[in-house]
Amino acid sequence: MTDNKLNTAGYEIPEELQHSLSITTLDRLYNWGRRSSIWPMMFGLACCAIEMIAAQAARYDLARFGMEVMRPSPRQSDLMIVAGTVTKKMIPSIVRLYNQMPEPKYVVAMGACASGGGPFKEGYNVVAGVDKFVPEDVYIPGCPPTPQALTAGLIRLQQKIDRQSIRRVRWYQKGADSVEIPVPVLGPDLMEPRRYAEIKRLAAEQQSATPAGSGETSAEA
Ligand code: SF4
């Protein structure tokens, strides 16, 4: 958002008042403050993280967008950039970190792996997209996306923030101010607590479909 836009009230301002005072809306001011000071969390998962690091260095310089302060703690972060392959071993930690971030918080899936599994989509150990567990705001294609692509994705995120309204954002609604996502459990395979009922139902259906004494064992729930 340019300063010009920030100062646009959305209605006619009398000539004599122009250039002597700024009139804007609360939404514009609120969004301008947030979109200009997004602090990303400092962590990377695989090769895409190298491009993220390059984007933070002097040549691309995310300080231009107020995003240079990468925080080592989720408690101080507004933005989670999921940069790299999301494995089943890592997703419980990623969900835990997401839950520990205060609102308002945003998530960017950087690269093919984070967006949908990428070249490892069918791998036994890979989650086919981090959005299976954590809500995403922006997806950045590429393997890996260049620092310019990451910058373009972050500008998209800023545009998304610009369209939010203080009256409708979820963290100012009544009730819990943040949605806690159940942390997946890594056992023989990844178990998603939100799907326990579905898994139990499928296991029961499978068991009832197995003829008694057939010697077949049903899948573990
Ligand atoms: S998208 Fe490509 S570069 Fe990025 S983590 Fe996956 S394999 Fe590596």
Side-chain angles (χ1 to χ4, degrees), residues 45-49 51 82-86 110-115 117-120 140-145:
L45 298 173
C47 8
C48 274
E51 302 296 321
V82 184
T85 317
V86 181
M110 179 183 180
C113 282
S115 300
F120 312 111
I140 303 174
C143 177

